[in-house]
Amino acid sequence: MTARIGTELDEAVRRLRAGELVAIPTETVYGLAANALDERACLRIFEAKRRPAFDPLIVHVRSAEHAREFVRELPADAERLMRAFWPGPLTLVLPKRELVPDIVTSGLDTVAVRAPAHPLTAQLLARLEFPLAAPSANLFGRMSPTRAEDVVEQLGDELEYVLDGGPCEVGVESTILGWEEGRCVLYRPGGTPLELLEPLIGPVRVASQHSEHAPRVAAAAPGMLAAHYAPRTPLVIEANAAHPLAAGEALLAFRHARPAHACEVLSATGDLREAASRLFAALRRLDRAGATRIVAELAPERGLGRAINDRLRRAAAAST
Ligand code: TXA
Ligand code: MG
């Protein structure tokens, strides 16, 4: 079977109601969606992605009101953030209600919720009686898809239908925040920059680099999730820009092209939003260029640059 790409909401609704997987567009990356309240459907997500059961899923909801059906407690800061940034690239990890199946949360007593901003998926959620569990629609450890064709390339044999919403605007996954002992913690830098969050809720503690997200999750598999988002070609972070590239090396440049086996520029004007939106597609093209390795320049460590650099560092960690 090879997944069909289309734009019919009716078909997506029918398949999701039947407990099938459907890939959905979001403003960040494509998701591999199933009925979040149906354990068997969620199990299919883990199988299709070859995802370990200790890595929990994000539950996609229509709105803050909808999220309340699945979370037990809502800190005032969480409410404030939902009002300011939903729908949008922000995921909140909150105490879960009983009706959220354990398979979705990997047995944790918290659930990650987010209201995606893509219009097609918003319409889809409005038609469904249930929320959608959806990780990024890639094989575990690989790069997230930002176009419908990317989903088919990796998971085409694992599902029947990809709802096509065009290329993803943001291009990096959502920012993930949680609360530990009443204090806000950043588990993953993403599409909503820290600089926008802190004015609203005060200083946010950044979880250590080596826990992909929740420390509790990382504790179950020490160091594993530090390696992620990987192309097949080995990737290294450029240590010294003064060194010319070796023969066969491809360059992921932030602003300025240089002679290389292949070269992709993320944003000639240094615009971090443009750079984020181009990141995974550029890496995919370099991955196909037959290079010996990909040398990646880091972005400035601010705004969306933090999310870009996080993905590049994890891709590099996966290559060693
Ligand atoms: O932008 C996004 O967030 C995309 C789109 C599809 O919405 N989704 C996405 O999902 O990136 P995924 O599965 O690739 O990453 C979600 C991460 C997981 O790796 C997991 O560690 C974390 O969210 N997560 C989920 N539930 C959690 C929980 N209860 N506690 C801590 N972390 C959690
Ligand atoms: Mg992912």
Side-chain angles (χ1 to χ4, degrees):
M1 120 178 115
T2 290
R4 195 166 73 77
I5 295 177
T7 55
E8 298 116 73
L9 277 177
D10 285 344
E11 170 135 11
V13 167
R14 182 174 63 72
R15 291 186 181 279
L16 288 164
R17 282 192 183 135
E20 290 182 30
L21 303 181
V22 172
I24 57 166
T26 84
E27 75 281 30
T28 59
V29 301
Y30 276 76
L32 182 62
N35 177 352
L37 304 180
D38 177 344
E39 270 179 64
R40 288 189 44 195
C42 292
L43 182 62
R44 290 199 182 108
I45 295 178
F46 286 87
E47 289 169 354
K49 281 195 60 138
R50 327 251 199 284
R51 181 177 176 112
F54 62 73
D55 194 5
L57 307 176
I58 295 175
V59 174
H60 295 70
V61 294
R62 292 186 289 270
S63 61
E65 293 65 51
H66 195 201
R68 277 175 206 281
E69 294 178 26
F70 311 105
V71 306
R72 213 172 54 231
E73 281 163 46
L74 212 52
D77 279 349
E79 227 165 321
R80 207 167 290 144
L81 290 170
M82 287 174 174
R83 230 175 290 128
F85 297 107
W86 278 15
L90 178 67
T91 295
L92 302 175
V93 175
L94 296 162
K96 81 171 192 86
R97 284 191 201 273
E98 198 111 1
L99 86 165
V100 182
D102 279 340
I103 186 167
V104 171
T105 63
S106 302
L108 296 171
D109 59 358
T110 52
V111 60
V113 287
R114 120 168 165 90
H118 196 288
L120 202 52
T121 289
Q123 287 176 48
L124 177 64
L125 284 166
R127 293 209 16 208
L128 293 170
E129 310 65 44
F130 45 80
L132 292 174
S136 51
N138 50 275
L139 289 167
F140 182 69
R142 296 271 151 205
M143 287 183 286
S144 298
T146 52
R147 302 173 316 153
E149 297 76 26
D150 301 338
V151 178
V152 175
E153 194 183 301
Q154 280 196 14
L155 295 175
D157 291 336
E158 304 291 336
L159 80 172
E160 307 260 4
Y161 196 60
V162 179
L163 189 61
D164 189 357
C168 300
E169 236 180 275
V170 177
V172 289
E173 301 81 353
S174 61
T175 299
I176 305 182
L177 290 181
W179 280 264
E180 292 177 17
E181 280 117 40
R183 293 201 42 209
C184 190
V185 183
L186 176 77
Y187 294 137
R188 177 175 73 184
T192 304
L194 209 51
E195 289 87 341
L196 292 181
L197 300 171
E198 289 190 322
L200 234 78
I201 58 169
V204 172
R205 184 162 69 78
V206 178
S208 84
Q209 275 297 324
H210 276 276
S211 60
E212 152 80 316
H213 313 309
R216 273 166 302 183
V217 175
M224 245 195 107
L225 297 173
H228 219 84
Y229 309 108
R232 283 202 181 76
T233 313
L235 182 145
V236 293
I237 305 289
E238 171 149 78
N240 186 344
H243 279 216
L245 298 174
E249 284 183 340
L251 177 68
L252 180 71
F254 179 62
R255 284 189 76 160
H256 305 290
R258 278 187 279 147
H261 174 82
C263 179
E264 288 283 335
V265 174
L266 289 183
S267 172
T269 59
D271 178 350
L272 289 166
R273 287 172 55 160
E274 181 184 35
S277 73
R278 293 175 45 95
L279 175 69
F280 286 124
L283 277 172
R284 276 197 162 75
R285 285 191 294 269
L286 292 180
D287 206 11
R288 285 194 289 263
T292 52
R293 59 178 192 169
I294 299 169
V295 176
E297 292 179 4
L298 291 178
E301 193 71 29
R302 62 178 154 76
L304 290 174
R306 258 187 255 267
I308 294 171
N309 292 345
D310 170 81
R311 306 308 184 264
L312 291 175
R313 290 193 185 102
R314 288 183 206 284
S319 302
T320 55

